[in-house]
Amino acid sequence: MTDILLKGGRLLDPSSNLDAVGDLLVRDGKIESVGGNIAGPDGATVIDCTGQVVSPGFIDVHCHLREPGREDVETIATGARAAAAGGFTAVCAMPNTDPVTDNQAAVGFVLKQGRAAGAARVYPIGAISIGQRGERLAEFGEMVGAGAVAVSDDGKPVVSSQLMRTALEYARTFGIPVADHCEDPTLALGGAMNEGIVSARLGLKGIPAEAEEIMAIRDILLARLTGGHVHLCHMSTRGSVDLIRWGKDRGIRVTAEACPHHLSLTEDAVEGYDTNAKMNPPLRTADDVRAVQEAVKDGTIDVIATDHAPHHYDEKEREFSDAPNGIIGLETALPVNVTWLVKPGIISLATLIDRMSCAPAKLFHLPGGALRRGIAADVTVFDPAAEWTVDPKGFRTKGRNTPYAGMTLMGRVLCTLVEGSVVYHQGVG
Amino acid sequence: MTSPLGKDLLGLEHLSAEQISLVLDTAEPLKEISERTIKKVPTLRGATIVNLFFEASTRTRTSFEFAEKRMSADTVNIAIAASSVSKGETLVDTARNLEAMRIDMVVIRHQSSGAARFLAERIESNVINAGDGTHEHPTQGLLDLLTLRQRFGTLKGKRVCICGDVLHSRVARSNIWGLTKLGAEVAVCGPRSLLPSAIEQMGVHVFDRIEQAIEWADALNVLRLQLERMQAGYIPSLREYNRVFGVTRERLDRAPRDILILHPGPMNRGVEIDSDVADGPHSVILEQVTNGVAVRMAVLYLLAGNSPRLAEAAKGGA
Amino acid sequence: MANAPHTIVLSARAVERTVTRMADEIIERNDGTERLVLVGIQRRGVQIAGRIAAVIKAREGTDVPIGALDITLYRDDLQTVGPRPVVGKTHLPVGIEGVHVVIVDDVLFTGRTIRAALDELADFGRPAKVSLAVLVDRGGRELPIQPDVVGKHVDVPAGERVDVAVVELDGKDEVSLSAMVAS
């Protein structure tokens, strides 16, 4: 394995308060040294990082890689390569596949396919309930033993409060977060977008913010009751972040994620019945976007996760109410976050790196999330000022369902290193 | 050439007051055609129009068909039962098939909001929305406007209240846009469970009691209350609905002025409207039906010819 | 266009005289006013028909029924003209079965308008006879159609057009020639 020298970049690692221009040397898959002017050892590959940011690799705690079951839409390999192209060195795959990742063998399969891909690391998330049916707990212990890093029934909420309580209690033994998709299914029934003036105008059934908030506060209260770690997926409303803040203020073990689309787009994107603006939770109001941005800034929202959800072209090419929810996100997460959060000065680059790398590593107990001597070299190099126009045709993911197509965004990944290997380099592959 | 309405008629929300008035002004002289012995003009001779109905609708389809035939178009009716096929695939495939068959215009009725626009964006033919989900029903809105304008002379300052299930009503949305653009004051009245929660932001007043609406209005547009709404739990019973929100003779008798009564049909007599109101002196429900044909003829006339293919053929070119 | 350079072909007085002569000729050709119906073509043809009827009333003391015909929906060029022509009112006061219909128009040019008017009339019934009276015949026929009563023949040089103004719509009576403005 050749040494790699990242030369002259801005080394930015909020976990160690590092922010300095300098070099970073990778040897045997590990970070050998960080900072200062490092002379390149013989035979080292030197990557010129002038003008680039060198940061700990991004970690996505929420994506859908569709394998097994829908390999026509995405495979673990294509998803892992898309992740690498987006600067992610690790992703957590949600278990709502077919069959559901609800047992040791299924977890092992995801892990094996992830390793074989040789791109971003893939960590399986196990199901909370068998078959995600919301009835009986899956075997958390066996799944964690096989490599699962969290449990979730994402795609659906855990409707039964009793089941959620048990899951939070039971997960404590294994020290894993229970990630919940917060949605009151009766309030959200048949809904296609945020409930408000746009849904009223377009004649689409709305999903009120309260459908999310009611479940968010239920989960927070159950975390208080059980002492378990609840992780709230894709928070999208002002009410939700207020409730999370309330929980955190009381020392309740609640963490939360927000998605780049909820930090950048509003329900107005649905105008014209664009099915690429259809997701669950739906795009909300401008006020909600501001509140969630603010929550990312103050840490109420701990991490930014993509909720990458590829769909087949035909599935989105239909009437709005019948189209499936979700958009792809791995290859647009960084530029969307830079364009809507860093460029307008809402958060600093250091905060962004914390929310995309350090915090996810910490909350999900994953390696990485730092630029420190001796740890595995999971590193992302990106140009925060580069502008480029999104063209889904060039994506590594099989999905093309993005509302950002044609937009000119800021921030572009130059290369991604996983365990010291270059798994993505701009313009290569 | 460019039609003054654009390629398609998808809704009234994005039309200007001038465009709406043009349709009404065009519809007025067209009413005379239906009074002739030979109820036919050659305007759309040779044009092929498909009436694509994914939802049953005797009334709207018949009205469109009369309008098309009175303009001498060749028409084909396609009725597709939504339940028999996977919906999304059908619409895309139908669009492609129509395109391949060189259809000039498509009139589409579909159960999904946005379906007409979906089709319009994918084919060159003119598309007329004959009702898409709970979004818009522009020709119904236009015929309501024409009916009111004929009675009132102008809509400026007139007060029109839309009563009933606004939440699920495409007729309500088209009416709200059309009426407000032409300067009328618009209100809605119905149980809050059947009103969109953001309704006030659409620039309308809201009345919780039908008595208040009657006190206020110059005209009531009474929407059909579908039986499914009760089954879905929006209201407890049709009987109670009639008690609380029914437009009855008794209630109208207490009105400070004569109130015109419109209804898009088909009516549930004894539910949202009582028979003696529907058949009473202030009901303009049958005028609405007559005007429906004229308005649809006007829309056909104003849109036709916007198809590049037709224009080319007329020039004998390409 | 009031200020554009133009040549007056008929002044208000001349229009009056011409219409009077046309009225006389119509009475003569019909041998009276029995079963006579005047149908003006929208627009301006309608006003001229009205003038003719007034003259007939003065001369013969009878009210000749006047109708209005809007031929827009019968045009053969709808697919190519733009923007969409405004549709005017069509109104026939009496049944036209068995009567003598005199179609009245302001200017006769290609004959296509008259072709459309004949088609439209046929949809209302079967007149015993149809004649054509025009205030101005400017030549340039594209169809085998000829007028029976002509107010004035005008040779129109290439690149010029005939404008007929009537008091009811334009504030004055006048027939003039003016340069064609590219539209």
Side-chain angles (χ1 to χ4, degrees):
Chain A
M1 207 174 198
T2 56
D3 297 340
I4 296 174
L5 181 62
L6 303 176
K7 193 84 191 145
R10 177 180 169 195
L11 305 167
L12 198 46
D13 173 17
S15 75
S16 58
N17 288 321
L18 170 66
D19 185 357
V21 172
D23 305 343
L24 185 145
L25 181 66
V26 174
R27 175 167 293 164
D28 297 330
K30 293 192 167 58
I31 295 176
E32 173 71 18
S33 57
V34 184
N37 187 7
I38 303 171
D42 287 349
T45 305
V46 179
I47 299 175
D48 179 11
C49 295
T50 312
Q52 308 277 333
V53 168
V54 177
S55 93
F58 305 147
I59 299 170
D60 185 11
V61 299
H62 189 150
C63 68
H64 299 273
L65 300 185
R66 304 298 188 211
E67 186 182 353
R70 285 303 304 271
E71 291 83 351
D72 58 322
V73 168
E74 191 83 289
T75 64
I76 291 172
T78 56
R81 285 199 282 275
F88 290 95
T89 54
V91 294
C92 301
M94 281 294 177
N96 61 335
T97 47
D98 183 16
V100 170
T101 313
D102 61 0
N103 61 72
Q104 181 183 13
V107 167
F109 171 78
V110 174
L111 216 49
K112 180 173 98 24
Q113 294 295 83
R115 288 202 180 107
R121 300 170 195 263
V122 178
Y123 298 115
I125 293 178
I128 292 173
S129 64
I130 293 170
Q132 293 192 313
R133 284 192 294 271
E135 292 159 5
R136 288 172 45 223
L137 281 191
E139 294 169 328
F140 292 6
E142 299 249 301
M143 292 193 292
V144 170
V149 297
V151 288
S152 178
D153 272 358
D154 184 68
K156 309 177 195 178
V158 177
V159 177
S160 159
S161 301
Q162 174 58 31
L163 181 71
M164 189 63 185
R165 171 192 178 157
T166 315
L168 283 164
E169 288 170 335
Y170 192 65
R172 289 192 64 176
T173 304
F174 312 101
I176 51 165
V178 178
D180 196 20
H181 167 121
C182 295
E183 178 182 351
D184 179 315
T186 59
L187 278 177
L189 185 71
M193 66 171 299
N194 184 48
E195 179 172 325
I197 177 64
V198 182
S199 70
R201 280 180 31 233
L202 295 180
L204 291 171
K205 186 158 188 328
I207 302 172
E210 287 73 9
E212 174 178 311
E213 292 155 4
I214 285 167
M215 280 305 217
I217 190 62
R218 182 205 68 172
D219 286 352
I220 293 167
L221 294 174
L222 289 176
R224 181 173 72 175
L225 174 67
T226 61
H229 173 189
V230 71
H231 177 78
L232 305 182
C233 298
H234 40 56
M235 290 288 99
S236 67
T237 76
R238 176 176 288 279
S240 291
V241 299
D242 283 347
L243 294 168
I244 296 161
R245 215 170 266 132
W246 179 89
K248 288 190 167 182
D249 285 349
R250 278 155 190 78
I252 299 168
R253 289 179 71 197
V254 53
T255 59
E257 73 193 29
C259 304
H261 43 273
H262 291 126
L263 293 164
S264 54
L265 303 177
T266 68
E267 57 186 352
D268 292 340
V270 178
E271 201 74 48
Y273 302 93
D274 181 0
T275 57
N276 285 329
K278 184 177 179 184
M279 51 212 60
N280 189 14
L283 295 174
R284 305 286 189 180
T285 66
D287 180 63
D288 290 311
V289 171
R290 272 193 302 277
V292 181
Q293 288 176 339
E294 200 52 41
V296 168
K297 179 184 178 181
D298 70 17
T300 303
I301 295 289
D302 304 84
V303 307
I304 300 176
T306 66
D307 197 8
H308 176 79
H311 290 290
H312 194 272
Y313 172 79
D314 280 348
E315 295 173 306
K316 280 284 194 183
E317 177 76 356
R318 57 162 56 178
E319 305 91 301
F320 194 87
S321 53
D322 297 333
N325 288 307
I327 59 164
I328 53 174
L330 289 168
E331 288 162 271
T332 49
L334 174 75
V336 168
N337 294 337
V338 169
T339 305
W340 273 276
L341 298 173
V342 178
K343 193 179 166 191
I346 295 164
I347 62 172
S348 64
L349 267 180
T351 303
L352 179 63
I353 290 165
D354 177 72
R355 306 297 186 259
M356 290 183 75
S357 175
C358 315
K362 199 169 103 209
L363 298 185
F364 279 60
H365 315 295
L366 306 173
L371 296 180
R372 209 168 55 239
R373 186 172 194 284
I375 66 168
D378 287 6
V379 180
T380 299
V381 182
F382 66 93
D383 181 346
E387 294 199 339
W388 60 289
T389 301
V390 179
D391 178 8
K393 285 201 290 290
F395 283 163
R396 261 92 178 150
T397 170
K398 287 190 179 185
R400 295 292 176 264
N401 47 311
T402 173
Y404 300 104
M407 292 191 195
T408 297
L409 304 181
M410 202 167 145
R412 189 160 206 190
V413 175
L414 176 71
C415 66
T416 308
L417 276 64
V418 172
E419 216 155 4
S421 296
V422 176
V423 292
Y424 170 77
H425 195 289
Q426 197 188 110
V428 180
Chain B
M1 64 166 287
T2 317
S3 150
L5 302 183
K7 179 173 94 68
D8 313 295
L9 177 67
L10 304 179
L12 300 189
E13 184 182 358
H14 299 291
L15 289 190
S16 65
E18 291 69 32
Q19 287 172 312
I20 291 172
S21 296
L22 174 68
V23 178
L24 305 185
D25 293 345
T26 306
E28 298 258 16
L30 297 183
K31 286 179 74 180
E32 171 267 327
I33 292 165
S34 301
E35 308 296 327
R36 300 182 187 177
T37 319
I38 298 176
K39 300 175 182 57
K40 211 177 183 66
V41 293
T43 318
L44 296 183
R45 214 153 49 91
T48 319
I49 303 181
V50 169
N51 297 315
L52 186 60
F53 278 65
F54 290 84
E55 235 181 32
S57 157
T58 310
R59 172 179 296 255
T60 303
R61 208 209 61 219
T62 308
S63 181
F64 265 109
E65 215 178 325
F66 273 131
E68 291 155 0
K69 295 206 154 121
R70 284 175 194 177
M71 302 293 273
S72 298
D74 294 318
T75 69
V76 176
N77 292 325
I78 304 179
I80 299 171
S83 53
S84 67
V85 273
S86 158
K87 288 184 268 175
E89 284 173 5
T90 302
L91 191 49
V92 177
D93 287 343
T94 307
R96 290 178 187 145
N97 283 324
L98 292 175
E99 194 74 309
M101 285 189 280
R102 303 289 181 260
I103 300 300
D104 300 300
M105 296 180 123
V106 180
V107 175
I108 178 177
R109 158 69 63 94
H110 198 283
Q111 62 280 359
S112 291
S113 299
R117 179 176 174 138
F118 180 92
L119 188 67
E121 284 171 350
R122 283 161 183 78
I123 61 175
E124 249 188 61
S125 324
N126 310 116
V127 173
I128 299 174
N129 182 5
D132 63 328
T134 55
H135 177 225
E136 282 220 47
H137 190 352
T139 56
Q140 177 72 43
L142 289 164
L143 75 89
D144 290 343
L145 294 173
L146 182 62
T147 307
L148 289 166
R149 199 178 79 165
Q150 280 168 359
R151 286 297 187 121
F152 290 143
T154 174
L155 284 165
K156 279 213 171 52
K158 290 294 172 190
R159 296 170 156 187
V160 182
C161 185
I162 301 160
C163 305
D165 182 7
V166 175
L167 183 63
H168 300 97
S169 175
R170 47 197 174 211
V171 176
R173 286 172 180 75
S174 290
N175 261 272
I176 290 171
W177 300 126
L179 288 164
T180 46
K181 279 167 202 270
L182 295 191
E185 271 190 77
V186 184
V188 298
C189 175
R192 290 279 178 164
S193 55
L194 289 176
L195 302 181
S197 52
I199 185 74
E200 281 97 345
Q201 293 175 54
M202 291 175 83
V204 302
H205 309 284
V206 180
F207 293 116
D208 285 310
R209 311 289 311 200
I210 190 74
E211 292 82 1
Q212 300 168 318
I214 289 171
E215 168 90 29
W216 175 86
D218 296 308
L220 299 183
N221 196 344
V222 186
L223 301 173
R224 172 181 167 76
L225 185 82
Q226 285 172 329
L227 197 62
E228 302 95 274
R229 302 306 167 224
M230 188 185 74
Q231 287 150 353
Y234 287 96
I235 52 163
S237 72
L238 298 181
R239 195 179 63 87
E240 177 162 298
Y241 185 87
N242 181 257
R243 282 257 184 102
V244 183
F245 290 99
V247 177
T248 62
R249 170 56 41 212
E250 247 189 320
R251 289 190 166 121
L252 286 179
D253 282 345
R254 280 185 234 119
R257 62 189 80 79
D258 286 344
I259 297 181
L260 289 188
I261 303 295
L262 293 89
H263 191 297
M267 286 182 276
N268 293 309
R269 291 166 181 262
V271 182
E272 71 270 7
I273 190 165
D274 279 5
S275 280
D276 50 358
V277 174
D279 306 330
H282 303 301
S283 164
V284 290
I285 295 170
L286 293 176
E287 282 171 46
Q288 288 176 274
V289 178
T290 308
N291 285 336
V293 177
V295 151
R296 292 178 176 115
M297 288 170 76
V299 169
L300 293 170
Y301 168 70
L302 292 169
L303 287 184
N306 191 39
S307 156
R309 195 170 46 241
L310 271 181
E312 282 308 307
K315 280 183 219 145
Chain C
M1 287 304 143
N3 298 324
H6 63 293
T7 319
I8 293 171
V9 177
L10 293 173
S11 66
R13 290 284 308 280
V15 168
E16 196 188 325
R17 278 197 304 273
T18 307
V19 166
T20 306
R21 186 167 46 72
M22 289 171 70
D24 287 341
E25 212 172 313
I26 288 168
I27 299 166
E28 201 167 305
R29 292 178 67 94
N30 193 60
D31 196 16
T33 58
E34 187 83 356
R35 301 177 81 73
L36 184 64
V37 177
L38 299 180
V39 175
I41 294 179
Q42 296 276 22
R43 300 165 71 195
R44 294 188 181 74
V46 176
Q47 286 73 33
I48 294 165
R51 308 285 183 82
I52 292 173
V55 173
I56 294 174
K57 167 92 174 167
R59 289 273 202 278
E60 306 285 313
T62 47
D63 286 304
V64 175
I66 317 169
L69 210 54
D70 184 275
I71 57 92
T72 309
L73 301 169
Y74 288 74
R75 286 172 68 153
D76 59 6
D77 58 352
L78 277 177
Q79 304 299 352
T80 48
V81 295
R84 294 267 94 174
V86 174
V87 181
K89 210 170 164 56
T90 290
H91 170 72
L92 294 181
V94 291
I96 58 167
E97 207 68 36
V99 305
H100 177 195
V101 172
V102 179
I103 297 173
V104 180
D105 203 1
D106 54 352
V107 180
L108 178 60
F109 183 22
T110 62
R112 289 180 190 272
T113 298
I114 305 306
R115 192 280 307 159
L118 289 169
D119 283 354
E120 183 161 18
L121 265 188
D123 284 350
F124 283 88
R126 187 173 180 280
K129 184 179 177 186
V130 181
S131 318
L132 174 61
V134 296
L135 184 63
V136 174
D137 180 359
R138 57 159 294 181
R141 222 74 79 235
E142 293 171 1
L143 293 173
I145 282 169
Q146 295 308 331
D148 302 291
V149 175
V150 178
K152 188 174 176 64
H153 290 276
V154 179
D155 282 329
V156 181
E160 293 199 9
R161 60 151 208 262
V162 183
D163 290 316
V164 173
V166 293
V167 157
E168 297 89 329
L169 299 175
D170 313 294
K172 62 174 176 184
D173 284 345
E174 186 179 279
V175 177
S176 60
L177 289 182
S178 62
M180 202 97 82
V181 181
S183 57

